[in-house]
Amino acid sequence: MKNNNRFILGGLATAALTGCGGQPEPPRRPMNILYIMTDDHTSQMMSCYDGRYASTPNLDRIAEEGVRFTNSFVANSLSGPSRACMLTGKHSHKNGFYDNTTCVFDGSQQTFPKLLRKAGYETAIVGKWHLESLPTGFDHWEILPGQGDYYNPDFIRQTGDTVRCEGYITNIITDKSIEWLEHGRDPEKPFCLVVHHKAQHRNWMADTCDLALFEDRTFPVPETFYDDYEGRPAAAAQEMSIASNHDMDPIYDLKMRQPGRKSRLSDAYEAMIGRMNPEQRAAWDRFYEPIAADFYARNPQGRELAEWKFTRYMRDYLKTLKSLDDNVGRLLDYLEESGLAGNTLVVYTSDQGFYMGEHGWFDKRFMYEESLRTPLVMRMPGGAKGQIAEMVQNIDYAPTFLELAGAPVPEDIQGRSLLPLLRGGHPEDWRESIYYHFYEYPAEHMVKRHYGVRDERWKLIHFYDDIDVWELYDLEADPRELHNLFGNPAYAAEQERMMKELVKLQTQYDDTAAMEKNASYDRKR
Ligand code: SGN
Ligand code: CA
């Protein structure tokens, strides 16, 4: 066992502890865990991280009353893989869930909810699951099939039946979560409730009550919006460009529907709005029809079209986010009102970051900063407040929750407990770099397979499979990652150092398949 802590009591912490004065402390109840994760919510769109675009007062509340991690990263920037990393505390090559398209999560493997149950917790998950097999290790679950729907979504229940729920997804997930907290759980047990929101995932369909918001807002395009990808062939090969009508579909993504007009994804859009009830549909059409009529009448082209699409994308994302923030506020309020807040760790994060026009993109996948990073704020009663700058990763959540519960952390968990940081400590032996590996290729958005290492200042990436390209970035001099320094003799020492760091992490995490692909380094450097 590792990361043992002095609070381990084996199962429920009901025994008396000896305080520092030698006096027994009163029995302490293990802390509850509320883990809220939003799909595709990026820190550029969370006001405690970035004040330019969004206002997220309820999410910020968690950070204000607790901590905000300023260097929080994922291990594989995609939904299913991130969820598997989070549940197991292991990188993709160890948990077996590499990509969304070919994998089925092996639910017989060790996960933190299973270990929490052994420690006496009651566990539940509501919302997006996206791991193909059905959940294991949860006392209660209600999940969306696949990506789920924004309007009148179906839920798969534990009984095996699929039921349609009337309303807007973010409200429904919150209702179900509060319902379980209020009436579903065993009040005698500590709980771990996992709330997985479907918003902010494509295609950013807002609640009808939020449609009219942000229509007066315009946004300067990011500095890298017109990136030419020079020196970065993998970046040039992607299909996630806002400007491209193939990649970002005006009908499906931006709701520019007109009767008789077709596009690559218009049928998928018809199916989505086909789920709406007459009232929802009337509000929807009332809002988007005049915008579509104006758009097709003006028929913008070139940069005008790209920037118009960017504006609509940003507005829709913000509208969807408004509901998300409101609903997280409802959950926080419930914790206060029910008296649970004083003994509940609240975690808010996303399954990865997202591009909001940086490099001209939407979507994620790349090891570049915007999608490698993920928002992470936590509020632990009695815990530290402020910012935490240590590099943390989504494989760290599982050991954190286990340590908090007083449960042993199995040796094979690859993440490290964040509890010392949450208690205000700064362990000297904290990690100095993180490891990343993305596998979903060939696939939608055409982001090539790659792995790499990032430390405080440098990043080394190897794109492989049908390409063999190494990239090196100095994040201090080039935070937007526009200048690939790989092979530049002026940076040979840093390059060598980062290569050694990469091999060190691959060895530590036992990613032998990736190590075999390192051979090209010597040919290319
Ligand atoms: C869907 C989306 C993609 C997105 C993936 C993965 N296309 O396939 O744009 O990259 O999900 O997202 S859509 O036409 O179905 O909207 S993930 O967050 O679930 O990994
Ligand atoms: Ca996602």
Side-chain angles (χ1 to χ4, degrees):
M1 303 298 167
K2 63 177 176 182
N3 295 336
N4 284 332
N5 76 74
R6 63 197 173 90
F7 296 110
I8 291 183
L9 299 170
L12 287 179
T14 46
L17 284 164
T18 303
C20 44
Q23 296 298 313
E25 286 177 1
R28 267 211 283 162
R29 236 188 112 98
M31 209 178 275
N32 305 309
I33 300 163
L34 173 61
Y35 177 90
I36 309 170
M37 184 162 83
T38 297
D39 205 4
D40 292 3
H41 183 209
T42 192
S43 36
Q44 304 96 292
M45 303 300 272
M46 184 158 159
S47 39
C48 65
Y49 278 98
D50 188 334
R52 287 176 300 168
Y53 307 125
S55 166
T56 50
N58 290 296
L59 305 181
D60 296 1
R61 215 165 112 190
I62 304 171
E64 275 154 27
E65 295 165 2
V67 294
R68 181 170 71 92
F69 288 85
T70 56
N71 286 299
S72 153
F73 304 97
V74 294
N76 181 352
S77 186
L78 200 63
S79 164
S82 266
R83 289 158 210 271
C85 289
M86 181 275 273
L87 284 170
T88 61
K90 296 176 187 173
H91 280 280
S92 307
H93 63 281
K94 289 290 176 191
N95 66 48
F97 202 96
Y98 297 92
D99 62 58
N100 287 338
T101 41
T102 66
C103 298
V104 176
F105 186 71
D106 171 10
S108 70
Q109 69 184 296
Q110 167 185 289
T111 60
F112 83 78
K114 288 184 186 174
L115 297 169
L116 283 182
R117 281 178 86 182
K118 271 197 196 155
Y121 275 62
E122 196 170 23
T123 58
I125 179 164
V126 179
K128 183 169 172 179
W129 170 250
H130 211 205
L131 288 170
E132 299 302 319
S133 54
L134 293 177
T136 55
F138 291 96
D139 294 291
H140 170 80
W141 55 263
E142 248 182 302
I143 58 165
L144 303 172
Q147 295 285 6
D149 277 292
Y150 275 106
Y151 276 89
N152 312 322
D154 287 339
F155 278 81
I156 308 172
R157 297 198 300 200
Q158 230 161 330
T159 42
D161 50 347
T162 299
V163 287
R164 178 183 159 114
C165 298
E166 204 68 9
Y168 183 69
I169 185 76
T170 312
N171 301 331
I172 297 172
I173 289 174
T174 310
D175 292 345
K176 287 182 184 297
S177 301
I178 294 175
E179 170 67 20
W180 183 78
L181 286 172
E182 180 73 6
H183 301 294
R185 68 191 178 92
D186 175 354
E188 297 305 315
K189 287 185 175 177
F191 67 81
C192 172
L193 171 61
V194 174
V195 180
H196 279 182
H197 281 292
K198 179 232 169 19
Q200 304 286 119
H201 193 278
R202 191 181 184 189
N203 59 341
W204 315 288
M205 290 171 74
D207 195 353
T208 47
C209 60
D210 297 323
L211 283 174
L213 300 175
F214 310 112
E215 283 299 310
D216 56 347
R217 293 277 308 271
T218 53
F219 316 87
V221 294
E223 273 176 58
T224 57
F225 191 71
Y226 293 112
D227 193 352
D228 62 4
Y229 315 120
E230 198 195 328
R232 290 157 291 147
Q238 52 50 53
E239 294 183 357
M240 45 194 253
S241 148
I242 291 175
S244 155
N245 281 352
H246 170 276
D247 302 356
M248 181 179 266
D249 189 297
I251 296 178
Y252 175 79
D253 288 305
L254 303 176
K255 298 93 185 170
M256 296 298 106
R257 176 182 186 271
Q258 269 191 336
R261 202 179 274 276
K262 286 281 206 182
S263 69
R264 187 171 72 90
L265 298 175
S266 57
D267 287 349
Y269 185 64
E270 288 302 314
M272 279 172 175
I273 57 173
R275 295 189 67 86
M276 293 178 173
N277 65 34
E279 201 186 326
Q280 293 163 340
R281 181 61 190 271
W284 192 263
D285 288 346
R286 219 170 23 246
F287 179 75
Y288 280 112
E289 272 174 5
I291 301 173
D294 175 66
F295 170 65
Y296 291 115
R298 288 190 304 106
N299 193 23
Q301 300 294 319
R303 286 195 170 199
E304 193 191 348
L305 173 65
E307 291 181 25
W308 181 88
K309 289 176 79 180
F310 171 70
T311 306
R312 290 251 43 101
Y313 166 49
M314 293 290 281
R315 287 180 185 165
D316 285 355
Y317 194 101
L318 282 173
K319 294 170 208 247
T320 312
L321 185 60
K322 168 69 167 64
S323 163
L324 193 269
D325 186 73
D326 288 347
N327 274 286
V328 170
R330 284 178 60 208
L331 253 182
L332 296 177
D333 289 347
Y334 175 79
L335 289 186
E336 298 291 338
E337 288 154 16
S338 59
L340 289 166
N343 194 38
T344 301
L345 168 72
V346 178
V347 177
Y348 179 83
T349 187
S350 171
D351 62 341
Q352 8 71 201
F354 214 72
Y355 294 93
M356 302 307 304
E358 299 88 359
H359 304 287
W361 300 336
F362 64 107
D363 213 67
K364 51 261 178 176
R365 298 161 192 264
F366 279 106
M367 199 193 162
Y368 302 133
E369 289 294 282
E370 292 82 358
S371 48
L372 175 63
R373 288 180 174 275
T374 198
L376 180 65
V377 293
M378 296 194 191
R379 183 182 76 189
M380 184 171 84
K385 290 191 182 354
Q387 293 184 22
I388 295 180
E390 275 85 350
M391 301 182 88
V392 304
Q393 222 169 359
N394 52 355
I395 52 170
D396 298 334
Y397 308 161
T400 305
F401 301 154
L402 293 173
E403 196 185 358
L404 185 77
V409 179
E411 281 292 345
D412 62 351
I413 284 193
Q414 297 184 317
R416 184 164 170 181
S417 167
L418 304 176
L419 209 54
L421 304 175
L422 291 174
R423 291 189 175 132
H426 298 280
E428 272 178 22
D429 63 344
W430 196 259
R431 69 163 73 82
E432 284 169 357
S433 60
I434 53 142
Y435 184 61
Y436 183 85
H437 198 156
F438 174 82
Y439 301 82
E440 193 179 272
Y441 180 87
E444 199 176 4
H445 302 304
M446 298 303 272
V447 175
K448 295 185 190 290
R449 293 175 188 232
H450 59 292
Y451 57 81
V453 58
R454 183 205 192 277
D455 72 7
E456 219 177 291
R457 173 163 174 190
W458 296 87
K459 189 185 287 183
L460 178 69
I461 313 176
H462 181 209
F463 290 93
Y464 67 93
D465 193 40
D466 63 355
I467 190 173
D468 186 3
V469 170
W470 290 79
E471 297 184 2
L472 177 73
Y473 296 99
D474 177 351
L475 299 172
E476 207 172 282
D478 178 27
R480 295 183 178 77
E481 298 160 294
L482 297 173
H483 306 292
N484 177 11
L485 303 175
F486 191 87
N488 182 331
Y491 302 96
E494 290 304 341
Q495 187 176 301
E496 286 295 297
R497 191 181 62 76
M498 288 306 282
M499 187 60 198
K500 285 207 181 77
E501 192 66 19
L502 178 67
V503 173
K504 189 189 97 184
L505 292 186
Q506 288 172 332
T507 309
Q508 179 188 334
Y509 296 131
D510 193 29
D511 192 355
T512 46
M515 272 163 104
E516 285 164 18
K517 302 186 194 317
N518 290 344
S520 80
Y521 177 82
D522 288 328
R523 294 195 300 273
K524 299 262 176 180
R525 78 186 149 148

